[in-house]
Amino acid sequence: MNRLICARVLLKNATCGAFQSTRSRWRTIATASNNLQSTGSESTPQHYDIIIVGGGMVGTALACSLGKSSRLQDKRILLLEAAAGFKQPSGEQYSNRVSAISKGTYRLMQSIGAWDEIERTRVKPVLKMQVWDACSDALITFNYDDLSENISWIVENDVLLASIYRQLATVPSVDIRYSAKLAACELIRDGAAKSTVQLASGERLCCDLLVGADGYNSLVRRQMGVHNFTLAYNQMGVVATLRLAAPRTADNVTAWQRFLPTGPIALLPLNDEMSSLVWSTGVSEAKQLLQLDAGAFVSAVNAAFNKPVPRNTMVDDVMKSVHMLIKTTTGQRLESAPVVEAEVPSSRAAFPLGLGHTSTYVGQGVCLIGDAAHRVHPLAGQGVNLGFGDVQALTDVLASANYAGLGVNNLNELVKYEQQRLKHNLPVLLTTHSLQRLYTTDFVPTVALRSIGLTLTNALPPVKKFLMNFAMS
């Protein structure tokens, strides 16, 4: 309850207080910019209505969504991607980077025509999720009655991107440029008549709206000059593709997550025989895991899911009383995660984890989406879903503005996108950050309180359904 109250307070401040002061400072300042270097040519830069910087999953989805909108058919759109070309997903081996797709993202993929392509390639529905605490008997499960609906879908990032690109190839109003590394950009706040970008090749392009989808090291965001709050968790996410031992859980439709004192470990189903690992842990332990041979790594994974963790007797006594009531109410018991048999060769990797949020998403002729605007811990699987939520919201706002004759760079309309996304992104960011802090400690009072809270929440189906629907919206 306190967390929800804090979220509402921060949302109010975000839309009418602290964020507004930051926004007003930079949006009203016009200064000369020396960022763009002369190319030796005085020709007018080529003009597009919208330029999207960053051809990852979120940037590509935005290009496709805008290009397929019936109310934006008159707009020319350019997608800039620094890579030399699009890499097709492997037809033989699963990628080690996957996403848990929410229902909101599912609807977006359907609307742009990518979902059928995803289903023809590889996707695994998730019907149930079990989350439990290694330091106590607390657990919670998420599923619809009688497993009647999917709570999410596990899709490889490569498959997701490839499916969107195939749809994008059919959109005539969208151009794609590969090897188009952004060197600099100039915004209207810098005194430019239009948002202008300069590529590493020296070519200059201008647009009515510049969209930064260039990740958490966004050059577009830096040029906006807005404050970007960042926090390093001193953790890394270890990922791998794993083969399950027989006998396996029927159909492998459950996602498993255990909170260890060092961070959560999760198994996400890929098919009936394989799952994807996401193990968040300290940097030193992550580096040690990367150095293990295949057999030792598999043993470490199985131990992380099943090995008992030292517990405090006070926590156990409290939970015994709570569980006596809960078991008679729900009848739920802790199920064992599937045993891992082997690791797919060369699938192990790691990446740093952190938190990030920019004070302002939009400005005159510019806006941010995805990791350029926000970055969250992967423990709730919300990172890419937040980005796809940005895509849907920005598409709707720009389509409505253009239909009303306001164009695509009207600041008042762009602020509607920002406000809409803040209402969703901030609660998710605060919740995931709070969970990360709450579940990376074995401090006895904290363990007792979080265990009671998790167990009671599990016993209240309406609360669980609300949380599940919000996370998967």
Side-chain angles (χ1 to χ4, degrees):
M1 180 63 71
N2 289 338
R3 188 178 304 138
L4 291 175
I5 294 173
C6 291
R8 293 193 183 102
V9 173
L10 285 176
L11 283 172
K12 183 177 180 182
N13 290 338
T15 56
C16 63
F19 287 171
Q20 182 65 36
S21 63
T22 304
R23 182 186 306 126
S24 62
R25 283 200 300 272
W26 82 267
R27 287 176 181 160
T28 57
I29 296 175
T31 59
S33 173
N34 295 319
N35 286 335
L36 298 184
Q37 304 298 321
S38 173
T39 64
S41 172
E42 299 300 325
S43 61
T44 302
Q46 185 176 359
H47 176 266
Y48 285 87
D49 296 292
I50 302 171
I51 293 179
I52 302 167
V53 181
M57 291 186 292
V58 173
T60 306
L62 179 65
C64 194
S65 182
L66 295 176
K68 290 200 170 192
S69 172
S70 60
R71 293 184 172 183
L72 293 167
Q73 294 297 302
D74 60 327
K75 300 303 177 185
R76 293 184 66 218
I77 302 166
L78 175 64
L79 177 64
L80 299 176
E81 168 55 37
F86 168 64
K87 182 181 178 182
Q88 291 285 348
S90 170
E92 300 177 356
Q93 182 170 314
Y94 281 89
S95 168
N96 59 7
R97 298 300 301 271
V98 303
S99 295
I101 297 301
S102 69
K103 291 187 175 181
T105 297
Y106 166 76
R107 290 190 293 268
L108 174 64
M109 293 300 113
Q110 283 190 314
S111 70
I112 64 176
W115 189 254
D116 288 343
E117 186 69 33
I118 291 172
E119 286 192 316
R120 282 193 294 268
T121 310
R122 284 192 297 257
V123 60
K124 182 65 176 178
V126 177
L127 297 180
K128 180 180 178 181
M129 183 174 187
Q130 177 179 283
V131 181
W132 71 104
D133 192 338
C135 296
S136 72
D137 292 329
L139 72 91
I140 189 168
T141 58
F142 295 101
N143 60 270
Y144 290 100
D145 293 342
D146 300 321
L147 305 180
S148 58
E149 294 183 46
N150 301 331
I151 62 173
S152 69
W153 297 259
I154 305 301
V155 184
E156 298 155 81
N157 293 355
D158 290 349
V159 170
L160 195 60
L161 184 59
S163 301
I164 300 171
Y165 261 115
R166 291 190 184 100
Q167 288 301 310
L168 191 57
T170 68
V171 183
S173 60
V174 179
D175 294 336
I176 307 174
R177 293 200 189 185
Y178 297 106
S179 301
K181 185 177 181 180
L182 188 66
C185 61
E186 186 178 17
L187 307 178
I188 293 175
R189 77 139 200 170
D190 302 318
K194 292 181 179 292
S195 296
T196 307
V197 300
Q198 179 175 304
L199 305 181
S201 64
E203 182 181 5
R204 297 173 71 239
L205 307 163
C206 67
C207 59
D208 297 325
L209 177 64
L210 178 64
V211 181
D214 46 343
Y216 64 86
N217 288 322
S218 171
L219 190 153
V220 176
R221 184 188 65 232
R222 293 200 299 271
Q223 185 62 24
M224 288 174 67
V226 297
H227 175 68
N228 185 52
F229 173 79
T230 60
L231 177 65
Y233 285 133
N234 295 317
Q235 285 187 322
M236 299 187 77
V238 177
V239 295
T241 305
L242 306 174
R243 186 174 300 279
L244 306 181
R248 305 177 185 93
T249 303
D251 300 326
N252 194 25
V253 293
T254 301
W256 310 87
Q257 185 173 60
R258 189 189 194 200
F259 279 101
L260 302 167
T262 54
I265 182 171
L267 268 183
L268 309 175
L270 293 173
N271 59 31
D272 292 350
E273 300 177 351
M274 302 176 71
S275 289
S276 181
L277 173 76
V278 184
W279 188 348
S280 302
T281 189
V283 174
S284 59
E285 184 180 7
K287 292 180 177 178
Q288 292 174 7
L289 290 171
L290 291 176
Q291 297 300 317
L292 295 177
D293 61 47
F297 180 71
V298 167
S299 297
V301 171
N302 286 325
F305 274 107
N306 298 289
K307 185 178 179 180
V309 171
R311 297 183 180 182
N312 184 275
T313 55
M314 185 190 78
V315 174
D316 285 342
D317 290 341
V318 170
M319 292 306 298
K320 283 179 182 178
S321 300
V322 175
H323 272 295
M324 287 182 64
L325 171 64
I326 299 306
K327 286 180 180 179
T328 57
T329 304
T330 67
Q332 290 184 351
R333 299 291 190 275
L334 177 68
E335 298 180 30
S336 298
V339 177
V340 175
E341 179 181 66
E343 172 195 16
V344 173
S346 304
S347 68
R348 203 186 320 170
F351 56 93
L353 304 179
L355 169 75
H357 194 268
T358 184
S359 59
T360 302
Y361 290 6
V362 303
Q364 186 67 52
V366 64
C367 68
L368 302 172
I369 63 173
D371 284 356
H374 42 73
R375 181 186 180 200
V376 299
H377 195 286
L379 64 87
Q382 290 301 300
V384 73
N385 290 312
L386 293 184
F388 286 132
D390 295 346
V391 168
Q392 186 64 68
L394 185 57
T395 298
D396 292 344
V397 166
L398 294 181
S400 296
N402 194 53
Y403 184 74
L406 299 174
V408 296
N409 66 349
N410 184 285
L411 182 56
N412 290 331
E413 296 301 307
L414 291 175
V415 168
K416 292 179 181 178
Y417 152 73
E418 176 185 70
Q419 292 176 338
Q420 180 180 338
R421 292 311 296 160
L422 284 174
K423 291 177 182 178
H424 186 86
N425 294 347
L426 271 180
V428 172
L429 184 145
L430 289 170
T431 300
T432 55
H433 175 65
S434 299
L435 289 173
Q436 193 277 336
R437 291 305 194 209
L438 191 63
Y439 280 95
T440 50
T441 179
D442 54 5
F443 183 56
V444 173
T446 302
V447 173
L449 289 174
R450 77 191 187 200
S451 299
I452 293 171
L454 189 66
T455 304
L456 293 178
T457 302
N458 191 47
L460 300 172
V463 176
K464 283 205 303 182
K465 187 173 182 179
F466 170 80
L467 294 174
M468 183 168 58
N469 289 339
F470 180 81
M472 292 294 108
S473 63

